[in-house]
């Protein structure tokens, strides 16, 4: 956790500008109220104490004489978690697995611009959503700022569902980030651990559902 917080603080310094310095951080103690979805649970600060929400398992169809292949397909269907669309009061939505958990933002995370903190049901894969005021006029200016300031291992501009993102990896901090411009702010989606290849596939699927409301 400390490594991730350090990475978030570093990202705060990356995007800090005079306009940001003049603005006081909002009260984020109730940041969870910004999520409009009954399926997302507000969990305790300790991931180990997080409660997994109830998800209705699909009804199974019993065959008279199921073979091994049918049994495998049925087991996989029962394990599948339905995605839910989560609308954020900041003007966007994402599709997230229905068993993900939402955590109250700590003071330490708030200092690094974190508005939302979420994880998978196991508390092993995390998504932090940060926001800052920016004077970058377009996505190319943001891309240049990120490259010059953070010197990521990889970076590029990609279009997801009609919104352009700067996708960049900070492998030393084990995070992969997706930054977009929304009005006069940067929205930065921080996925960790970046070293988990399967989670990076899921992260790409999640950011691909980003929709401006």
């Amino acid at each position: 956790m400390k490594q991730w917080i350090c990475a978030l603080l570093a990202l705060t310094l990356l995007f800090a500008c005079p306009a940001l310095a003049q603005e006081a951080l909002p009260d984020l103690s109730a940041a969870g109220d910004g999520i409009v979805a009954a399926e997302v649970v507000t969990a305790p600060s300790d991931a180990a104490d997080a409660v997994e929400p109830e998800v209705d398992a699909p009804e199974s169809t019993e065959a008279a004489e199921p073979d091994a292949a049918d049994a495998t397909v049925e087991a996989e269907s029962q394990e599948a978690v339905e995605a839910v669309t989560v609308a954020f009061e900041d003007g966007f939505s994402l599709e997230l697995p229905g068993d993900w958990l939402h955590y109250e933002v700590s003071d330490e995370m708030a200092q690094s611009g974190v508005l939302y903190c979420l994880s998978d049901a196991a508390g092993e894969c995390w998504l932090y959503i940060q926001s800052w005021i920016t004077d970058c006029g377009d996505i190319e200016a943001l891309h240049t700022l990120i490259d010059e300031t953070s010197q990521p291992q990889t970076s590029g501009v990609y279009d997801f569902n009609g919104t352009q993102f700067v996708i960049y990896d900070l492998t030393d901090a084990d995070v992969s980030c997706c930054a977009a411009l929304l009005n006069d702010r940067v929205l930065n989606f921080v996925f960790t651990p970046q070293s988990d290849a399967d989670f990076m596939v899921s992260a790409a699927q999640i950011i691909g559902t980003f929709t401006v409301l």
Side-chain angles (χ1 to χ4, degrees):
M1 177 66 76
K2 287 295 183 181
Q3 182 184 27
W4 303 342
I5 293 296
C6 290
L8 295 175
L9 290 171
L11 291 170
T12 302
L13 295 175
L14 161 65
F15 291 106
C17 63
L20 176 60
Q22 297 170 5
E23 179 188 349
L25 280 172
D27 181 6
L28 301 177
S29 60
D33 295 340
I35 293 184
V36 185
E39 296 86 349
V40 177
V41 178
T42 300
S45 58
D46 187 351
D49 297 331
V51 178
E52 181 177 356
E54 295 183 1
V55 179
D56 293 333
E59 296 182 359
S60 60
T61 302
E62 295 184 0
E65 295 182 359
D67 58 21
D70 291 337
T72 301
V73 171
E74 181 178 343
E76 290 177 349
S77 66
Q78 290 178 341
E79 293 175 0
V81 176
E82 184 178 356
V84 296
T85 299
V86 181
F88 296 82
E89 66 178 3
D90 306 274
F92 66 93
S93 67
L94 295 172
E95 286 186 15
L96 297 168
D99 63 348
W100 269 41
L101 303 173
H102 167 230
Y103 299 81
E104 183 177 356
V105 173
S106 68
D107 291 341
E108 190 176 12
M109 287 189 289
Q111 291 174 5
S112 59
V114 175
L115 299 181
Y116 304 99
C117 174
L118 305 105
S119 80
D120 65 357
E124 296 176 349
C125 299
W126 297 80
L127 166 59
Y128 300 92
I129 303 176
Q130 298 173 287
S131 179
W132 302 274
I133 285 180
T134 183
D135 55 4
C136 291
D138 54 35
I139 199 68
E140 290 300 335
L142 181 59
H143 187 197
T144 299
L145 174 64
I146 290 172
D147 279 353
E148 291 180 349
T149 310
S150 67
Q151 298 181 343
Q153 280 70 28
T154 60
S155 71
V157 176
Y158 301 88
D159 187 284
F160 286 95
N161 202 25
T163 298
Q164 289 187 309
F165 285 85
V166 179
I167 310 298
Y168 61 105
D169 295 325
L170 303 174
T171 56
D172 290 344
D174 204 16
V175 300
S176 184
C177 306
C178 307
L181 295 172
L182 185 62
N183 300 321
D184 62 343
R185 306 190 73 87
V186 173
L187 280 177
N188 194 49
F189 300 83
V190 182
F191 295 91
T192 184
Q194 186 265 347
S195 54
D196 186 332
D198 290 338
F199 180 50
M200 289 300 98
V201 172
S202 298
Q205 294 172 341
I206 290 171
I207 207 66
T209 66
F210 177 91
T211 302
V212 177
L213 300 178

PDB file of all heavy atoms in Angstrom, residues 83-95:
ATOM      1  N   ALA A  83     -21.237  -7.539 -14.982  1.00  0.00           N
ATOM      2  CA  ALA A  83     -20.751  -6.167 -14.875  1.00  0.00           C
ATOM      3  C   ALA A  83     -21.912  -5.229 -14.578  1.00  0.00           C
ATOM      4  O   ALA A  83     -23.047  -5.463 -14.980  1.00  0.00           O
ATOM      5  CB  ALA A  83     -20.055  -5.756 -16.167  1.00  0.00           C
ATOM      6  N   VAL A  84     -21.614  -4.165 -13.846  1.00  0.00           N
ATOM      7  CA  VAL A  84     -22.607  -3.139 -13.552  1.00  0.00           C
ATOM      8  C   VAL A  84     -22.058  -1.792 -14.015  1.00  0.00           C
ATOM      9  O   VAL A  84     -20.851  -1.554 -13.977  1.00  0.00           O
ATOM     10  CB  VAL A  84     -22.949  -3.075 -12.050  1.00  0.00           C
ATOM     11  CG1 VAL A  84     -23.603  -4.361 -11.591  1.00  0.00           C
ATOM     12  CG2 VAL A  84     -21.706  -2.784 -11.215  1.00  0.00           C
ATOM     13  N   THR A  85     -22.948  -0.925 -14.478  1.00  0.00           N
ATOM     14  CA  THR A  85     -22.548   0.426 -14.872  1.00  0.00           C
ATOM     15  C   THR A  85     -22.611   1.323 -13.652  1.00  0.00           C
ATOM     16  O   THR A  85     -23.640   1.417 -12.987  1.00  0.00           O
ATOM     17  CB  THR A  85     -23.476   0.966 -15.969  1.00  0.00           C
ATOM     18  OG1 THR A  85     -23.383   0.122 -17.128  1.00  0.00           O
ATOM     19  CG2 THR A  85     -23.080   2.381 -16.364  1.00  0.00           C
ATOM     20  N   VAL A  86     -21.489   1.956 -13.358  1.00  0.00           N
ATOM     21  CA  VAL A  86     -21.382   2.831 -12.193  1.00  0.00           C
ATOM     22  C   VAL A  86     -21.248   4.267 -12.678  1.00  0.00           C
ATOM     23  O   VAL A  86     -20.314   4.601 -13.409  1.00  0.00           O
ATOM     24  CB  VAL A  86     -20.174   2.448 -11.317  1.00  0.00           C
ATOM     25  CG1 VAL A  86     -20.086   3.360 -10.102  1.00  0.00           C
ATOM     26  CG2 VAL A  86     -20.266   0.987 -10.887  1.00  0.00           C
ATOM     27  N   ALA A  87     -22.193   5.117 -12.287  1.00  0.00           N
ATOM     28  CA  ALA A  87     -22.157   6.530 -12.662  1.00  0.00           C
ATOM     29  C   ALA A  87     -21.497   7.325 -11.542  1.00  0.00           C
ATOM     30  O   ALA A  87     -21.851   7.169 -10.370  1.00  0.00           O
ATOM     31  CB  ALA A  87     -23.569   7.042 -12.910  1.00  0.00           C
ATOM     32  N   PHE A  88     -20.532   8.165 -11.896  1.00  0.00           N
ATOM     33  CA  PHE A  88     -19.823   8.996 -10.931  1.00  0.00           C
ATOM     34  C   PHE A  88     -20.316  10.431 -11.068  1.00  0.00           C
ATOM     35  O   PHE A  88     -20.523  10.921 -12.177  1.00  0.00           O
ATOM     36  CB  PHE A  88     -18.309   8.934 -11.182  1.00  0.00           C
ATOM     37  CG  PHE A  88     -17.716   7.571 -10.973  1.00  0.00           C
ATOM     38  CD1 PHE A  88     -17.786   6.600 -11.966  1.00  0.00           C
ATOM     39  CD2 PHE A  88     -17.071   7.250  -9.790  1.00  0.00           C
ATOM     40  CE1 PHE A  88     -17.243   5.341 -11.781  1.00  0.00           C
ATOM     41  CE2 PHE A  88     -16.524   5.998  -9.588  1.00  0.00           C
ATOM     42  CZ  PHE A  88     -16.606   5.038 -10.580  1.00  0.00           C
ATOM     43  N   GLU A  89     -20.457  11.117  -9.937  1.00  0.00           N
ATOM     44  CA  GLU A  89     -21.005  12.470  -9.951  1.00  0.00           C
ATOM     45  C   GLU A  89     -20.086  13.455 -10.676  1.00  0.00           C
ATOM     46  O   GLU A  89     -20.505  14.573 -10.982  1.00  0.00           O
ATOM     47  CB  GLU A  89     -21.253  12.955  -8.526  1.00  0.00           C
ATOM     48  CG  GLU A  89     -19.998  13.148  -7.700  1.00  0.00           C
ATOM     49  CD  GLU A  89     -20.311  13.675  -6.296  1.00  0.00           C
ATOM     50  OE1 GLU A  89     -21.518  13.826  -5.989  1.00  0.00           O
ATOM     51  OE2 GLU A  89     -19.371  13.917  -5.539  1.00  0.00           O
ATOM     52  N   ASP A  90     -18.858  13.041 -10.953  1.00  0.00           N
ATOM     53  CA  ASP A  90     -17.915  13.923 -11.650  1.00  0.00           C
ATOM     54  C   ASP A  90     -18.146  13.957 -13.152  1.00  0.00           C
ATOM     55  O   ASP A  90     -17.397  14.607 -13.880  1.00  0.00           O
ATOM     56  CB  ASP A  90     -16.482  13.472 -11.346  1.00  0.00           C
ATOM     57  CG  ASP A  90     -16.233  13.399  -9.856  1.00  0.00           C
ATOM     58  OD1 ASP A  90     -15.884  14.434  -9.273  1.00  0.00           O
ATOM     59  OD2 ASP A  90     -16.423  12.321  -9.276  1.00  0.00           O
ATOM     60  N   GLY A  91     -19.168  13.237 -13.639  1.00  0.00           N
ATOM     61  CA  GLY A  91     -19.560  13.379 -15.032  1.00  0.00           C
ATOM     62  C   GLY A  91     -19.138  12.263 -15.952  1.00  0.00           C
ATOM     63  O   GLY A  91     -19.013  12.473 -17.163  1.00  0.00           O
ATOM     64  N   PHE A  92     -18.921  11.065 -15.418  1.00  0.00           N
ATOM     65  CA  PHE A  92     -18.556   9.936 -16.267  1.00  0.00           C
ATOM     66  C   PHE A  92     -19.063   8.650 -15.641  1.00  0.00           C
ATOM     67  O   PHE A  92     -19.496   8.620 -14.482  1.00  0.00           O
ATOM     68  CB  PHE A  92     -17.033   9.861 -16.459  1.00  0.00           C
ATOM     69  CG  PHE A  92     -16.272   9.557 -15.191  1.00  0.00           C
ATOM     70  CD1 PHE A  92     -15.933   8.251 -14.846  1.00  0.00           C
ATOM     71  CD2 PHE A  92     -15.883  10.580 -14.330  1.00  0.00           C
ATOM     72  CE1 PHE A  92     -15.233   7.974 -13.672  1.00  0.00           C
ATOM     73  CE2 PHE A  92     -15.189  10.312 -13.157  1.00  0.00           C
ATOM     74  CZ  PHE A  92     -14.858   9.007 -12.837  1.00  0.00           C
ATOM     75  N   SER A  93     -19.031   7.579 -16.426  1.00  0.00           N
ATOM     76  CA  SER A  93     -19.411   6.263 -15.910  1.00  0.00           C
ATOM     77  C   SER A  93     -18.425   5.215 -16.393  1.00  0.00           C
ATOM     78  O   SER A  93     -17.711   5.414 -17.384  1.00  0.00           O
ATOM     79  CB  SER A  93     -20.836   5.887 -16.363  1.00  0.00           C
ATOM     80  OG  SER A  93     -20.884   5.679 -17.763  1.00  0.00           O
ATOM     81  N   LEU A  94     -18.376   4.101 -15.670  1.00  0.00           N
ATOM     82  CA  LEU A  94     -17.564   2.941 -16.017  1.00  0.00           C
ATOM     83  C   LEU A  94     -18.391   1.688 -15.792  1.00  0.00           C
ATOM     84  O   LEU A  94     -19.296   1.677 -14.950  1.00  0.00           O
ATOM     85  CB  LEU A  94     -16.300   2.853 -15.145  1.00  0.00           C
ATOM     86  CG  LEU A  94     -15.238   3.933 -15.261  1.00  0.00           C
ATOM     87  CD1 LEU A  94     -14.193   3.736 -14.158  1.00  0.00           C
ATOM     88  CD2 LEU A  94     -14.570   3.910 -16.622  1.00  0.00           C
ATOM     89  N   GLU A  95     -18.054   0.640 -16.518  1.00  0.00           N
ATOM     90  CA  GLU A  95     -18.615  -0.667 -16.215  1.00  0.00           C
ATOM     91  C   GLU A  95     -17.591  -1.429 -15.385  1.00  0.00           C
ATOM     92  O   GLU A  95     -16.437  -1.584 -15.790  1.00  0.00           O
ATOM     93  CB  GLU A  95     -18.938  -1.445 -17.494  1.00  0.00           C
ATOM     94  CG  GLU A  95     -20.175  -0.934 -18.229  1.00  0.00           C
ATOM     95  CD  GLU A  95     -20.539  -1.809 -19.407  1.00  0.00           C
ATOM     96  OE1 GLU A  95     -20.028  -2.945 -19.496  1.00  0.00           O
ATOM     97  OE2 GLU A  95     -21.338  -1.347 -20.248  1.00  0.00           O
TER      98      GLU A  95
END
